[in-house]
Amino acid sequence: MRTVEIEPTFESWQTAARLLLRDGVPPADVRWREIAQPVQPSLVAEATAPPPGVVKVPRQFLDVARRAAAAPDPTRWQLLYETLWRVVHQNHDLLADTRDPAVRRLSALAASPGAGSREAEGAAPFIPAGAGITELRAAAARCTGCDLYRHATQTVFGLGAAGARIVMVGEQPGDQEDLKGAPFVGPAGEVLDRALADVGLDRQSLYVTNAVKHFKFEERGKRRIHQTPRANEIAACRPWLEAELAAIHPEILVCLGATAARIVFGDSFRITRDRGRFAPTRWAPKTIATYHPSAVLRGQDEAEQAQLYAMLVDDLRKIATA
Ligand code: URA
Ligand code: SF4
């Protein structure tokens, strides 16, 4: 067992980790100890330049590690070195494995309030100019424009005909959507499919997407409970929706629920008051909002659910006959 003394900074850990890696010391043989003093100057000097022969570490790892190092958790040095070891010796793409427990812990640390979280820059830098839907979808799979990608399984991009006349926009993927990588395939999707069938609209002919492309949730035991995205996350993801709408140019744009409706009609939009009416917007000559299928599921009792469902169907019928 080797005790390694470091200052509680990313740089100090990195210096020590490089030497340990060079000497082939496995994580199980290291005990990390935080000290206030700088490490021995000779050690620092020796390790300033990466030692020859050391495998290059992916930039993404360094970014996450730097942020995780800023979290006030005493076990982070061990976790960082374990993960680094595995990135170098087992799996260069380890960080892409969002189901790996160590990766999850690392991401959680990096995203914790104590960590110097990088100002999210939003989706715009990830979007290829003038791209079609296929290209957009491929690019969105790599989006790290806000923190939501860290915990979700995958990007859930819009799905449907690139030449669709009707585009429907929900809020964000849920648990099932996150796992399957497609929008509206869980309980809300069932309600939507039933309502579409009732008015004779074919889901295949539509393009269905969400305002936010990653699932946001809170873990409670084994369950992942949906969390409403925050305004900054909605804003970060909005360029994807803009790009989808620019590529498709729908004749009819349907907002499912308040999140999508507020993006399109502005913050003063109220579903109960303003739903079910067509208005021209810069995205589509006929833009309309209706209840979110999940709102039907959240109705207090069967009577209220039936009432909400009937209103959803009423609105969708206007779309089917427009
Ligand atoms: N709710 C949404 O808003 N979108 C989905 O894809 C699933 C549930
Ligand atoms: Fe990018 Fe949107 Fe996912 Fe944030 S939620 S990482 S902006 S795709």
Side-chain angles (χ1 to χ4, degrees):
M1 182 65 73
R2 215 188 261 213
T3 300
V4 177
E5 297 190 328
I6 55 164
E7 278 183 275
T9 65
F10 172 75
E11 287 71 22
S12 183
W13 169 83
Q14 189 182 31
T15 301
R18 274 177 178 157
L19 293 174
L20 291 167
L21 210 55
R22 186 196 62 183
D23 296 342
V25 185
D29 292 352
V30 183
R31 184 184 306 127
W32 296 89
R33 223 166 71 94
E34 292 187 3
I35 51 158
Q37 301 300 311
V39 288
Q40 289 172 31
S42 64
L43 272 184
V44 177
E46 193 187 343
T48 313
V54 167
V55 186
K56 272 201 78 133
V57 177
R59 216 195 108 103
Q60 194 200 358
F61 176 85
L62 292 179
D63 287 348
V64 173
R66 192 181 293 277
R67 266 176 288 130
D73 181 322
T75 65
R76 65 199 184 283
W77 310 117
Q78 178 65 19
L79 175 68
L80 282 172
Y81 188 58
E82 271 169 24
T83 338
L84 174 64
W85 179 269
R86 290 175 61 208
V87 166
V88 170
H89 291 288
Q90 293 167 3
N91 178 5
H92 195 72
D93 293 324
L94 179 66
L95 283 200
D97 184 359
T98 50
R99 316 220 119 215
D100 183 276
V103 172
R104 296 183 84 103
R105 265 187 70 210
L106 193 62
S107 305
L109 275 185
S112 67
S117 155
R118 172 183 49 109
E119 195 60 23
E121 48 192 344
F126 298 88
I127 301 184
I133 286 295
T134 312
E135 235 184 305
L136 288 173
R137 157 182 289 274
R142 297 186 292 270
C143 184
T144 56
C146 76
D147 280 343
L148 294 188
Y149 80 94
R150 293 179 191 286
H151 310 285
T153 307
Q154 57 191 316
T155 306
V156 179
F157 206 64
L159 200 60
R165 212 183 126 237
I166 304 174
V167 170
M168 293 193 170
V169 186
E171 184 184 76
Q172 62 157 344
D175 180 75
Q176 293 294 310
E177 288 79 14
D178 171 77
L179 296 173
K180 293 184 182 145
F184 284 100
V185 291
E190 277 174 35
V191 174
L192 179 63
D193 284 341
R194 184 152 63 92
L196 289 173
D198 281 0
V199 302
L201 271 175
D202 178 10
R203 171 118 174 221
Q204 300 297 316
S205 71
L206 313 173
Y207 182 88
V208 179
T209 191
N210 284 300
V212 172
K213 301 325 193 220
H214 272 110
F215 179 35
K216 182 175 183 183
F217 60 94
E218 188 189 337
E219 255 166 338
R220 253 184 245 152
K222 284 203 176 127
R223 292 188 58 211
R224 302 192 300 170
I225 310 294
H226 160 276
Q227 280 191 308
T228 305
R230 285 199 303 249
N232 64 332
E233 291 150 350
I234 295 169
C237 209
R238 181 176 172 147
W240 287 120
L241 181 62
E242 295 276 0
E244 286 172 295
L245 292 170
I248 297 176
H249 264 305
E251 184 189 331
I252 301 175
L253 173 60
V254 185
C255 303
L256 299 171
T259 299
R262 294 213 175 111
I263 291 177
V264 167
F265 291 111
D267 281 344
S268 62
F269 188 90
R270 297 290 173 268
I271 279 284
T272 43
R273 186 189 64 196
D274 304 324
R275 58 167 259 275
R277 284 197 300 263
F278 284 114
T281 61
R282 68 183 171 88
W283 297 279
K286 292 177 185 162
T287 307
I288 192 169
T290 185
Y291 282 111
H292 193 290
S294 297
V296 174
L297 295 171
R298 282 195 304 266
Q300 298 288 323
D301 48 31
E302 261 182 47
E304 191 182 306
Q305 291 188 1
Q307 196 185 11
L308 287 163
Y309 181 76
M311 290 192 273
L312 172 63
V313 169
D314 265 357
D315 293 342
L316 293 186
R317 188 165 286 118
K318 292 173 200 158
I319 293 149
T321 55

Coordinates of all heavy atoms in Angstrom, one line a residue, residues 45 59 115 192 285:
A45 N 8.3 18.8 -10.3 CA 9.2 19.1 -11.4 C 9.2 17.8 -12.4 O 9.1 17.9 -13.6 CB 10.6 19.4 -11.0
R59 N -9.7 13.9 -23.6 CA -10.0 15.2 -23.1 C -11.2 15.2 -22.2 O -11.3 15.9 -21.2 CB -10.2 16.1 -24.3 CG -9.6 17.5 -24.1 CD -10.2 18.4 -25.1 NE -11.2 19.3 -24.5 CZ -10.9 20.5 -24.2 NH1 -9.8 21.1 -24.5 NH2 -11.8 21.3 -23.6
A115 N -19.0 21.6 -7.2 CA -18.0 21.5 -8.3 C -18.1 22.8 -9.1 O -19.2 23.3 -9.4 CB -18.3 20.3 -9.2
L192 N -51.1 9.2 -26.4 CA -51.0 9.9 -27.7 C -51.5 9.0 -28.9 O -52.3 9.4 -29.7 CB -49.6 10.4 -27.9 CG -49.4 11.2 -29.2 CD1 -50.2 12.4 -29.3 CD2 -47.9 11.5 -29.4
P285 N -47.5 27.9 -40.5 CA -48.7 28.8 -40.7 C -49.8 28.4 -39.7 O -50.6 29.3 -39.4 CB -49.1 28.5 -42.2 CG -48.2 27.4 -42.6 CD -47.1 27.2 -41.7

